Amino acid sequence: MIQVNDICKSFDKLQVLKSVSLSIADGEMLTIVGPSGAGKTTLLQIIGSLERPDSGSVIFDGEDITRLKDSRLAAFRNRNMGFVFQFHQLLPEFTLEENVALPALIGGTARGEAIAHARKLLNDFGLGSRLDHRPAQLSGGERQRAAVARALINDPKVILADEPTGSLDSHNRAELYRLFFDLRQATGKTFIIVTHDDTLALSSDRVIRMNDGNIIEDSAR
């Protein structure tokens, strides 16, 4: 599904990625691990089109997304990719269902349809009693489940998660793991997850280990 070819990326004089290449299969659950500064998040952001590489390409279902102009790239990202971040990134002024519906609204879905879909996802995730709550009124685990619902609202092909359990306690980490694996089994979506958590990494289909801007190990579980 995704082919990453010879990606290089620098910030000022610091080279963060050094000719990184990998293939990611449709429906695969891939984790990317390594020490801080290894280039994990930058690689994830380039795969997810949030950053552009200095050189190299990212081929998504046969299309080189690194060549798309900004407006087309934003539409492509909205339609094909869902994101879950370490700190949920829910907007404090909106209700939970409004936050979850937002990517659908940006994509042009009618408000009533977007809100109805958001409500269904939140009910499925056990958050039906929290629809009108603001993020500050929710626990950390509830906010992160809502962030996963938001990532799914446009039925993307790929879910990209950057340290999604980093701010959670052990109970909520276990709940989020279960949610990811249940979703993958139910939907067949591709998951690409940056994590420091060995439990999550060891449960995935494949682990990419990075250091100093390079992939140093690529192992199937």
Side-chain angles (χ1 to χ4, degrees), residues 94-115:
F94 292 142
T95 66
L96 203 57
E97 66 179 9
E98 288 170 338
N99 266 288
V100 171
L102 193 57
L105 295 170
I106 291 170
T109 303
R111 180 176 176 79
E113 182 181 347
I115 290 293

Side-chain angles (χ1 to χ4, degrees), residues 133-196:
H133 287 58
R134 299 296 197 275
Q137 298 172 293
L138 305 172
S139 70
E142 288 172 333
R143 288 193 291 263
Q144 209 58 330
R145 275 185 282 153
V148 176
R150 180 185 56 193
L152 291 168
I153 190 73
N154 285 336
D155 193 25
K157 294 181 179 180
V158 180
I159 302 295
L160 302 104
D162 188 6
E163 296 288 359
T165 62
S167 62
L168 301 179
D169 61 26
S170 58
H171 171 76
N172 283 305
R173 281 200 300 272
E175 289 293 316
L176 195 64
Y177 298 158
R178 189 174 302 112
L179 178 58
F180 279 162
F181 286 103
D182 287 350
L183 282 170
R184 202 279 293 268
Q185 184 173 0
T187 67
K189 293 187 185 302
T190 303
F191 281 78
I192 307 170
I193 305 170
V194 165
T195 183
H196 281 104

